[in-house]
Amino acid sequence: MASSSRIPPNVDSKSARLLERAYKLSNDTDTRELYRDWAETYDRTMLEGLGYLSPRLVSRLLADHVRDKTIKVLDVGAGTGLAGLELAGLGFTSIDAIDYSADMLAEAAQRNIYENLIEGDLTRPLDIGDAAYGAAVCTGTFTHGHVGPSCLAELFRIIAPGGLFAFSINTGVWTQAGFKDELHRLEKAGTVRLVTRQAGVNYETSSTSDSWLNLYERQ
């Protein structure tokens, strides 16, 4: 049984412990150790243990608004490649992955869907050129104990004008961590335009909406 209201009900105890550990991350060492330990079993935990839906929902949100599936797409916080797998299934043919964990990227590489695998820290400037991507997706990264909103401007920098960014934000950090305010600031500055925002769920076991599904256009 989960020990925190942030964990959806009716999940097995092992899955709940791993997710709770992820939500409590506070430093580089803990982050690297968690994803090193979790890399090989991450898919089983998230898909079988938790019924993880965000990669599918976010990828479909992007696909519904993109006609040209040959554009270059960046999977941000790619992990083992769950969102990339969804994108490939939806017809996207040029996908890169960026993640903090080399161990998770090693798992993602086995899917043979990514052109480039980039080990990068979203809390720092990225070694990626301006407007390098036609679109991007991000799932499971903007949540408790993970990356804050300060990375958003940098992520939009590497998306070409007119390009789209689809991403989920856990409702528990939407206001508290400053995502709502930072997105409003970027809109006001003319950097981005909101295309759509939808209430969503992270897991099949979620009893209420626990995620915001966002689609923004780079201006």
Side-chain angles (χ1 to χ4, degrees):
M1 180 66 66
S3 60
S4 168
S5 60
R6 297 180 300 190
I7 310 295
N10 304 318
V11 302
D12 65 90
S13 58
K14 184 176 181 180
S15 298
R17 285 195 301 271
L18 283 165
L19 194 59
E20 185 65 27
R21 186 176 165 192
Y23 281 169
K24 291 181 178 179
L25 293 174
S26 61
N27 58 66
D28 289 353
T29 300
D30 288 349
T31 300
R32 292 189 188 278
E33 288 182 352
L34 169 65
Y35 289 110
R36 179 199 63 205
D37 297 344
W38 200 359
E40 291 186 3
T41 60
Y42 182 85
D43 289 2
R44 186 163 65 251
T45 299
M46 297 303 287
L47 297 177
E48 297 176 17
L50 294 165
Y52 191 36
L53 295 176
S54 295
R56 183 188 311 166
L57 297 177
V58 170
S59 297
R60 286 180 177 174
L61 180 60
L62 180 67
D64 286 345
H65 290 80
V66 174
R67 290 186 178 180
D68 181 9
K69 300 300 192 297
T70 66
I71 61 170
K72 197 169 185 63
V73 182
L74 181 64
D75 183 0
V76 178
T80 61
L82 294 178
L85 187 63
E86 294 288 346
L87 290 170
L90 290 165
F92 289 93
T93 59
S94 180
I95 312 168
D96 287 353
I98 185 170
D99 198 88
Y100 186 70
S101 168
D103 296 284
M104 297 291 270
L105 286 174
E107 294 295 320
Q110 297 182 37
R111 299 189 186 278
N112 296 316
I113 55 176
Y114 293 111
E115 293 183 352
N116 298 287
L117 298 164
I118 305 165
E119 187 176 343
D121 185 347
L122 298 181
T123 66
R124 300 179 180 180
L126 300 175
D127 187 20
I128 300 173
D130 294 351
Y133 290 93
V137 297
C138 183
T139 69
T141 297
F142 302 143
T143 187
H144 304 280
H146 285 60
V147 180
S150 61
C151 69
L152 290 172
E154 179 71 352
L155 290 173
F156 280 114
R157 176 188 68 78
I158 63 177
I159 298 173
L164 298 174
F165 185 17
F167 54 96
S168 61
I169 299 178
N170 190 296
T171 56
V173 301
W174 169 246
T175 300
Q176 295 89 325
F179 283 97
K180 179 180 179 180
D181 288 344
E182 176 62 5
L183 286 166
H184 177 71
R185 185 189 72 80
L186 291 170
E187 286 184 81
K188 190 174 180 179
T191 303
V192 302
R193 178 183 70 86
L194 176 65
V195 177
T196 183
R197 177 176 296 124
Q198 306 168 11
V201 293
N202 290 309
Y203 312 104
E204 291 177 356
T205 53
S206 298
S207 56
T208 60
S209 173
D210 52 12
S211 176
W212 287 113
L213 305 176
N214 300 273
L215 185 69
Y216 277 84
E217 180 184 29
R218 175 72 166 93
Q219 297 295 281

